[in-house]
Amino acid sequence: MNSTQNLLSESSSSSSMDKDLHVTFIEMMYHLLPSPYESQEINHLTLAYFVISSLDFLNSLHLLTNKEAVSHWVLSFHLHPSTIPDPNNGQFYGFHGSRTSMFPPDQTGVLLHNNSHLASTYSALAILKIVGYDLSNIDSELMLSSMRNLQQPDGSFIPIHTGGEKDLRFVYCAAAICFMLNNWSGMDKEKAKDYILHCHSYDGGFGLVPGAESQGGATYCAIASLRLMGFIEDNLLSSCASSSLIDVPLLLDWIVQRQGTDGGIQGRPNKSSDTCYAFWIGAVLKILGGYNFVDSKALHGFLLACQYKYGGFSKFPGEFPDLYHSYYAFTAFSMLQESGFNSLSPELGITQVAANGL
């Protein structure tokens, strides 16, 4: 057996969640990310979001002994115009994802290389919420008025003012940003709603763009956005009211078919179960009020098969752990009401404790 096989054999076969081990794993990530994450430096804020929010789900936020320093670090990525901003210049005054995406203005004060990004802005605001920072201290008016520059005529959003793909991921980021700032001036909700509905597929799920195959992450972005924007009710399945926007029975039928015989949850048909979809699909059911359709015992077993002996969770059983799948495993355990975990706000992807601070 070679060294790789030896390491893979260390995947935990434990029948229980080793919370303390995972706290240590995440605390290590907080102090120093391993070298494989160097290639993801452009997403530094998002990686920090996974780490800090993980500690919150693990009920271990007290390990952040200086939350003010965390807030100060996050705020250092916020883009501020050097001159009086022109609302029609197309710029977005959000948060950069990393130091390498930050450039100084030219001699006239023009930000030629403004790379502030919707996903990074969502991650920044989420971190600030988690550590208890008062978001009213942020110039939300400028951030949101400039965010409207990113909304396209069809209601979708591009993530950055210089372009990029447009799909449901960035509609969700925009909706979550407006919700956290308690100000919807940053988007045309009706146009965004229409775009989301155009992504609704014949089988009940949602694709990332109109006409695309239904997929778990896209379906989450659609349903969570509609919920944040107030277009669908919370616990829709438990209420007497019916939504005229989406075919809920068809959506539910597509969702419940995503749990496989191994207990895990797949993102789309004919794909393997994947740890992260325990959140993307599970959170949709939470929002709809139908989490009871999940075979909790089977899902719990699948997640434990992805638990690594030295901490963290992998995408599939028998693979190495990573920060992304570890984080979404923690959110899944939260939905499964694992002892010692803080509860999830399914629409925002952070703990309910952090969300309640809105």
Side-chain angles (χ1 to χ4, degrees):
M1 183 180 288
N2 61 36
S3 58
T4 300
Q5 290 173 323
N6 274 323
L7 284 170
L8 290 177
S9 70
E10 299 294 345
S11 292
S12 176
S13 59
S14 172
S15 60
S16 62
M17 143 73 76
D18 193 338
K19 178 171 172 274
D20 291 341
L21 186 67
H22 299 303
V23 171
T24 301
F25 174 83
I26 294 299
E27 191 178 11
M28 177 190 71
M29 295 286 187
Y30 174 76
H31 290 292
L32 181 66
L33 285 171
S35 59
Y37 291 95
E38 289 177 359
S39 62
Q40 299 182 44
E41 199 278 336
I42 195 70
N43 299 315
H44 201 166
L45 260 182
T46 300
L47 294 173
Y49 159 71
F50 289 142
V51 170
I52 293 169
S53 195
S54 288
L55 289 174
D56 198 12
F57 276 107
L58 291 163
N59 200 22
S60 299
L61 204 59
H62 61 274
L63 295 175
L64 299 181
T65 55
N66 192 343
K67 295 182 178 65
E68 185 176 345
V70 173
S71 298
H72 181 76
W73 179 79
V74 171
L75 291 168
S76 71
F77 292 98
H78 190 191
L79 176 67
H80 298 281
S82 299
T83 60
I84 297 175
D86 177 1
N88 300 314
N89 66 3
Q91 298 282 330
F92 170 49
Y93 297 103
F95 285 79
H96 291 267
S98 71
R99 296 284 176 240
T100 56
S101 64
M102 300 175 76
F103 296 87
D106 66 10
Q107 59 270 25
T108 65
V110 176
L111 293 158
L112 295 175
H113 302 285
N114 168 16
N115 290 316
S116 62
H117 195 283
L118 274 179
S120 301
T121 302
Y122 161 78
S123 297
L125 295 180
I127 293 172
L128 292 172
K129 285 298 305 170
I130 291 165
V131 299
Y133 181 81
D134 185 354
L135 295 185
S136 66
N137 293 323
I138 291 176
D139 186 351
S140 60
E141 292 297 332
L142 177 59
M143 182 186 296
L144 293 171
S145 63
S146 66
M147 193 173 80
R148 291 187 73 97
N149 295 324
L150 304 180
Q151 189 166 22
Q152 304 302 291
D154 63 358
S156 65
F157 278 81
I158 54 175
I160 191 169
H161 86 283
T162 52
E165 64 268 68
K166 57 178 187 177
D167 58 52
L168 283 180
R169 293 173 298 172
F170 308 119
V171 174
Y172 170 75
C173 288
I177 288 166
C178 289
F179 187 87
M180 286 190 281
L181 293 174
N182 195 28
N183 184 337
W184 289 94
S185 66
M187 65 188 302
D188 185 323
K189 290 201 292 183
E190 287 293 331
K191 283 187 175 181
K193 177 193 72 176
D194 290 343
Y195 181 78
I196 292 170
L197 296 181
H198 278 105
C199 295
H200 200 187
S201 182
Y202 71 93
D203 58 7
F206 289 78
L208 277 174
V209 297
E213 178 186 9
S214 295
Q215 194 262 356
T219 300
Y220 170 81
C221 289
I223 298 301
S225 296
L226 290 173
R227 175 62 195 135
L228 289 170
M229 291 189 286
F231 288 121
I232 61 173
E233 299 178 28
D234 193 19
N235 294 320
L236 190 61
L237 298 177
S238 303
S239 68
C240 297
S242 60
S243 171
S244 60
L245 291 178
I246 55 177
D247 187 334
V248 176
L250 188 63
L251 170 61
L252 186 62
D253 183 63
W254 184 82
I255 290 174
V256 296
Q257 293 184 58
R258 301 285 68 80
Q259 187 163 18
T261 56
D262 60 359
I265 296 177
Q266 62 180 190
R268 49 198 170 110
N270 302 314
K271 293 293 183 179
S272 299
S273 298
D274 179 334
T275 299
C276 70
Y277 289 105
F279 169 78
W280 299 118
I281 293 292
V284 173
L285 284 172
K286 272 286 188 184
I287 294 169
L288 296 176
Y291 197 73
N292 56 301
F293 288 104
V294 173
D295 185 337
S296 297
K297 183 177 181 182
L299 178 58
H300 195 271
F302 174 83
L303 294 172
L304 288 179
C306 298
Q307 181 177 227
Y308 199 64
K309 182 176 181 179
Y310 302 113
F313 287 82
S314 57
K315 179 176 183 176
F316 306 126
E319 295 197 350
F320 291 108
D322 65 81
L323 183 54
Y324 174 85
H325 289 92
S326 296
Y327 176 70
Y328 286 114
F330 300 145
T331 65
F333 278 109
S334 172
M335 286 187 281
L336 291 168
Q337 298 183 320
E338 185 77 17
S339 176
F341 277 67
N342 281 326
S343 61
L344 169 75
S345 169
E347 299 89 352
L348 287 178
I350 58 179
T351 66
Q352 195 66 60
V353 173
N356 286 343
L358 297 173

